[in-house]
Amino acid sequence: MSTVLANPAQMIAHGAPRVIHNDAELEEYTNNLFQLTALEKPSAWEAEAIELLTLLVERYEQENYSVPAPDPVALVRFLIEQQHLTQRDLIPQFGTESAVSMFLAGQRNLTLSQVRRLSARFKLPADVFIGKE
């Protein structure tokens, strides 16, 4: 075993980064991470610290502040509104106006080819158009 990891409990007792348990610790780790990433040329140890702190912050945020996947219908409605489109504008992606209407009414799921065409049109990852049921 490496001498660096000979006693992880002792390392933590002496201030080594540990799992984040609350928002105060999150704020402290985030501030430290910002300071490290602001360095013009971080050393190898600083780069390791950046990687470790990033993992710890991401883990805490995923567990406590996860963003639910968007509903595909709500997402398409939002995109229509934001880009000032009409249902007719989406006929190339859906095939027919009735297919657009049925999808927006929640009566029909997207096909794989519709997902691909929507992804290409709006330049978004295909998985955002696939519902998580």
Side-chain angles (χ1 to χ4, degrees):
M1 177 181 267
S2 166
T3 57
V4 173
L5 295 177
N7 191 339
Q10 190 175 35
M11 290 171 51
I12 290 172
H14 286 106
R18 58 188 182 84
V19 175
I20 300 172
H21 294 99
N22 56 53
D23 286 351
E25 290 176 1
L26 174 64
E27 184 176 353
E28 181 180 337
Y29 278 41
T30 302
N31 289 336
N32 287 325
L33 185 56
F34 285 147
Q35 290 174 359
L36 287 168
T37 56
L39 296 173
E40 199 166 307
K41 292 183 181 180
S43 68
W45 294 107
E46 289 164 335
E48 286 281 331
I50 290 169
E51 186 175 0
L52 177 59
L53 292 176
T54 299
L55 291 170
L56 293 169
V57 167
E58 285 176 348
R59 177 179 179 229
Y60 182 82
E61 288 179 343
Q62 286 174 347
E63 289 176 358
N64 294 280
Y65 298 104
S66 63
V67 177
D71 168 57
V73 174
L75 174 61
V76 172
R77 286 186 183 281
F78 174 78
L79 292 168
I80 288 171
E81 179 184 320
Q82 291 299 304
Q83 297 188 15
H84 307 289
L85 302 173
T86 65
Q87 288 186 21
R88 299 190 119 217
D89 295 322
L90 296 182
I91 291 173
Q93 285 71 46
F94 282 85
T96 65
E97 190 171 2
S98 66
V100 178
S101 296
M102 291 176 71
F103 170 73
L104 292 174
Q107 299 171 344
R108 184 178 200 180
N109 290 327
L110 294 171
T111 66
L112 183 57
S113 62
Q114 290 168 339
V115 167
R116 287 182 179 143
R117 290 189 296 255
L118 286 167
S119 174
R121 175 177 186 142
F122 295 111
K123 296 177 179 46
L124 293 170
D127 63 339
V128 301
F129 295 103
I130 300 170
K132 310 285 190 254
E133 295 178 22

